[in-house]
Structure formats: structure tokens, C-alpha cells
Amino acid sequence: MSKGGRAFLLKVDQKLLDRVKKYASSGRNMTSIANRLGISYGTFMNYKKMHPEIHEAYMTGKADFIGDVEENMGTLAMGGSVDASKFILSRQGGPEWKEQVEVHVGVTPVIIERYRENPNDPIVEVILGSEDYSIDPIKEKIKEESK
């Protein structure tokens, strides 16, 4: 009795691995790569599980892409781009890098501090308060987590 589904359609060879790496290094996500290969996302994921070399090719291409983006952002930052500088600092500035932004809520400006412990951690925003009133950041964090 058949288990159903179609047989795998791709031949796993160096040509396939080069294509996966090329697509990943150009910034494509796994869904887009699967589409380019003519298979579904689920099939692509199955291939990655069955053939670790496909996963390796994807991760190598993705690392190349991220490196290229970081290099471009570094060039922009060195050229004076404030946004590029913030991006680089948020990724590589370490736990001591912080950015404060002023947000206007109604008529009262509120200070929010953004920081991250490690480069891969999400940005944490802490409300520091304003001149008109003060908000306890710890109480706000506990309130948000309890929702």
C-alpha cells in the first residue's frame, strides 16, 4: 500500500547545492527558494532534513547575504548615514549601546529606551516616562508580561 504523496523530484548534486546557495546569497527566503526549484516549501524542508548538505548550502548562502548587507551598511555608516550607523551599532555595538527616542502620546512626550543584551536578542523597549509624569519601567514590564 502506498503512503501517498509524490516521489522526490530533485536530484541532489553539486548543481542543486550551488543553486540553493546562490538563491540564499541573493536574499531569498526558503519559500522563494522552493518556488525557484519548482517544489513546495514542505518538500524543500523535507529535502533539508534528508540531505544536510542542502541545509549547509542554504546557511552558507544566507551568511554570505548577511555579510554583504552588513558591509553595505558599514559603508553607508562611514559615509555619514545616521540610520546605517544605528543599524550597525544595534548589531555590533554590544550591550552598552542604547538609543533613546522621544514618542509623542497625545500631548505628552514619553521617553523610550531601546537596548539589547546580545546582537541576536530582540530590541527591548523600556518606557522611562516624561517630564509630566513618571512610569516605573519594572511595573510596566510586569504588566505587559501578564497580558
Side-chain angles (χ1 to χ4, degrees), residues 21-30 32-33 61-62 65:
K21 181 181 174 186
K22 176 184 151 194
Y23 296 147
S25 68
S26 68
R28 295 185 182 277
N29 62 24
M30 287 187 275
S32 176
I33 293 170
K62 184 176 175 182
F65 175 72

Side-chain angles (χ1 to χ4, degrees), residues 4 7 14 44 48-49 58 61 64 69 78 80 84 90-91 99 101 103 113 115 138:
Q14 191 59 48
F44 183 66
K48 281 180 54 183
K49 288 178 189 173
Y58 172 76
D64 289 347
V69 169
M78 295 305 289
S90 71
R91 298 292 187 267
E99 172 192 10
V101 293
V103 179
E113 185 174 84
Y115 67 95
I138 296 172

Side-chain angles (χ1 to χ4, degrees), residues 100 110-113 115 124-130 133-145:
Q100 287 192 355
V110 176
I111 304 296
I112 297 176
E113 185 174 84
Y115 67 95
V124 175
E125 292 187 344
V126 177
I127 298 173
L128 299 178
S130 72
Y133 64 96
S134 179
I135 298 173
D136 183 343
I138 296 172
K139 287 181 184 176
E140 284 298 307
K141 185 166 176 52
I142 291 169
K143 188 190 309 181
E144 287 296 316
E145 290 177 351

Side-chain angles (χ1 to χ4, degrees), residues 65-117:
F65 175 72
I66 291 169
D68 289 346
V69 169
E70 285 182 333
E71 185 177 332
N72 289 339
M73 293 300 283
T75 301
L76 290 171
M78 295 305 289
S81 169
V82 173
D83 289 335
S85 297
K86 287 179 182 180
F87 174 83
I88 293 294
L89 288 171
S90 71
R91 298 292 187 267
Q92 299 179 5
E96 67 278 359
W97 183 81
K98 294 181 180 180
E99 172 192 10
Q100 287 192 355
V101 293
E102 187 174 304
V103 179
H104 293 273
V105 180
V107 293
T108 307
V110 176
I111 304 296
I112 297 176
E113 185 174 84
R114 293 183 177 149
Y115 67 95
R116 65 175 79 227
E117 295 289 325

